[in-house]
Amino acid sequence: MSYITKRALSTLIPPKVASPSAIGSSPNAVRMQKVVSFYEKLPRGAAPEPQAKGLLGRYQKAYFGKNASAMPLVHVIGALIAIGYAQNYYFHLRHHKNNVHH
C-alpha cells in the first residue's frame, strides 16, 4: 500500500481508545475514564424537535418538512393576483371610478 492510501484509511479508522493494553496502565486508564464519563453525560435518544419561532418559522412548520403541501404555491399565486389588482387599480382603474364619461 502506498503512503497516500494508508493515510486515507487512517482517517476512516477510529483510534484505539478502548484497547486492552490501554486499560492496564494508569495514565491511559485515567484518560479512558474521562472519555467514558464524557460519553455518559451525552443525551440519549432522538433530538427534540426545535420549536417554531416567529411568523416565518410557524409558516415553515405548517407547510414544509414532515407535512409538506402545495399551499405555499396557492398563497404565492393569491398574493400575485392581489398585488396585480392593486397595481391595476392605482395606475388605471381609479381614474374610471364613478366616471361614466371617458
Side-chain angles (χ1 to χ4, degrees), residues 12-41:
L12 294 175
I13 301 168
K16 294 179 184 175
V17 177
S19 65
S21 63
I23 295 173
S25 59
S26 90
N28 286 338
V30 171
R31 189 182 71 180
M32 187 65 196
Q33 185 55 43
K34 287 180 182 177
V35 170
V36 168
S37 64
F38 170 76
Y39 280 106
E40 283 175 345
K41 292 175 189 171

Side-chain angles (χ1 to χ4, degrees), residues 39-63:
Y39 280 106
E40 283 175 345
K41 292 175 189 171
L42 290 177
R44 301 187 196 303
E49 263 192 55
Q51 295 296 320
K53 294 178 183 143
L55 189 63
L56 185 62
R58 288 194 305 265
Y59 187 82
Q60 284 179 336
K61 185 173 181 172
Y63 296 113

